[in-house]
Amino acid sequence: METESAEIVEVVETLPNPISFKVHGMMCTELRTFVDRIVKIFPEIEEARPRCSVVIKALCSLNGVIERAKLLLQYCSESSKLYLAITTDAIVSRCRKMKNLFEQCLCQIQGMVPVMLVDEISRIVDDLGAANFVPDKFEEEAGKVVRELLQRGAAALDSMEHTEMKALQTAASRLHITSPKAILIEKRSIKKLLEKASESDQQKKKILKYLLYLLRKYANLIIGSQTDNSSDQNEGAFAVHTHSAYAESHTEYGQYDPQAETLNRAIIPPEEFKCPISSRLMYDPVVIASGQTFERTWIQKWFDDGNDTCPKTEMKLDHLLLTPNVSMKDLITKWCRKYGITIQDPSMQPDELCSLENFFHFHS
C-alpha cells in the first residue's frame, strides 16, 4: 500500500501549473483543485486500513480516476488550442464524468473511515455536487466557427477562401493565436497530435492536417498589422477587422478589456506588465514571497481559496504577504498614459468578480 501512496503523491507533483492550460482554463483549474484535495487525504484513508472489499475497490477506482484526470489536465496544457476548442463538448463531458466518478468513489469510502476524515470527505463530496463545468463563451465560439467550417461542403474556391479566413480570424482572436510565436506554438502542437494519432483515427488526422493547412495559408493575415506594415490594403483591412472583432466581442458582454483595446490599436503591452494569472494589464501589481508579481485581486483570491504556493513557479511560499510593486505600477501607468489606455480596477467590475468566482471558488 505504501507504493500505491507514493504513486498518488507523484500524480500531484506532476499536475500542470494552472496558468499552463491552453484552453478550458476555468474547468481545468476546477478539476485540478479537486484532484489536489482528494490526493491530500488519500494517505490518511489508506492508514485507516479499510478492510471492506467495496471500499478497497472504491480506492482502486479513485486512483484510476485521479490518473485519468491528470492525463486530461496534461492534454489541455499541451494540445492544440484549435483542436481543444472544436472538441469542447468532449472535454466538458469528460470533466463532468470524472466529477461524478470522484463523488461516487468518495461516497463509498465515507462511512468506513475515522470521523475527521468523514467531515473532510463530506465537504469534498458537497463541493463536487455543486461544481458545474461550463466552457468559456469565447472559446466555445471559436470551436463553433471552426466546426462549421469543417462541416461545410464543397464550395467555389473564392467563397471557400473567404469562409476560411473569416472562421480562422474569429477563432484566432478568441484563442489568442495572434502573434508569430503563438502561431508557431500552435503549429507544433498540431504536429505533435498528428504524430500521436493512431492509424485507425483517420478522421482526426484529416482535421488536424486541415487546421495546419489553415495556419500555414493565413498566418500573415492573422498576425496582420501587428507585424506587417506592407502596402497591401486588403491584408491590412483584414488585420484591423481581426482586432476590432476581438474588442467588440468583449464589449458585447458588457466588459471593458484593456488588452482588446490595445490589440485594436496594434499595440502589444510588455509581458511583464501582465498578470500571470489573468494575462491582463495589472491595475494594482503586488509582489509575493516567490518574487513574482501579480494583480492583487487575482492573487488574493488564489490565497483565499487555500493555496499556499506561487501559481507561476509552484514553489511553497514562506508567507502570504502582498507587497505593492511601486516600480512596476509606475512603469505601467507611464506606458498606459503614452498610448491612451485606461485600466479599470478588476475588483470593482461585477463581470470580473464573477469570472474570479467561477475560476477559483469552491463552496467551503
Side-chain angles (χ1 to χ4, degrees), residues 250-269:
H250 285 75
T251 304
E252 179 183 350
Y253 289 94
Q255 300 175 352
Y256 173 78
D257 187 346
Q259 272 66 37
E261 179 66 19
T262 298
L263 282 173
N264 199 34
R265 296 162 180 252
I267 302 167
I268 303 176

Side-chain angles (χ1 to χ4, degrees), residues 27 30 96 99 127-134:
M27 292 195 300
E30 189 172 17
R96 290 177 179 173
K99 161 197 162 178
D127 291 345
L128 283 165
N132 186 20
F133 292 93
V134 179

Side-chain angles (χ1 to χ4, degrees), residues 40-59:
K40 284 178 179 177
I41 65 170
F42 199 94
E44 296 178 59
I45 296 174
E46 285 188 321
E47 287 176 7
R49 299 186 182 281
R51 297 180 180 179
C52 174
S53 60
V54 174
V55 177
I56 294 174
K57 184 178 179 180
L59 277 172

Side-chain angles (χ1 to χ4, degrees), residues 119-169:
D119 290 341
E120 178 59 26
I121 292 175
S122 294
R123 284 193 289 271
I124 296 175
V125 170
D126 289 343
D127 291 345
L128 283 165
N132 186 20
F133 292 93
V134 179
D136 177 86
K137 290 181 179 179
F138 298 123
E139 295 171 354
E140 194 171 24
E141 182 185 356
K144 181 181 177 181
V145 296
V146 178
R147 282 198 306 273
E148 289 175 350
L149 180 62
L150 292 169
Q151 293 166 0
R152 185 180 174 89
L157 181 60
D158 291 343
S159 173
M160 194 59 186
E161 285 192 348
H162 174 75
T163 304
E164 287 176 340
M165 285 192 298
K166 186 176 180 181
L168 192 60
Q169 162 200 329

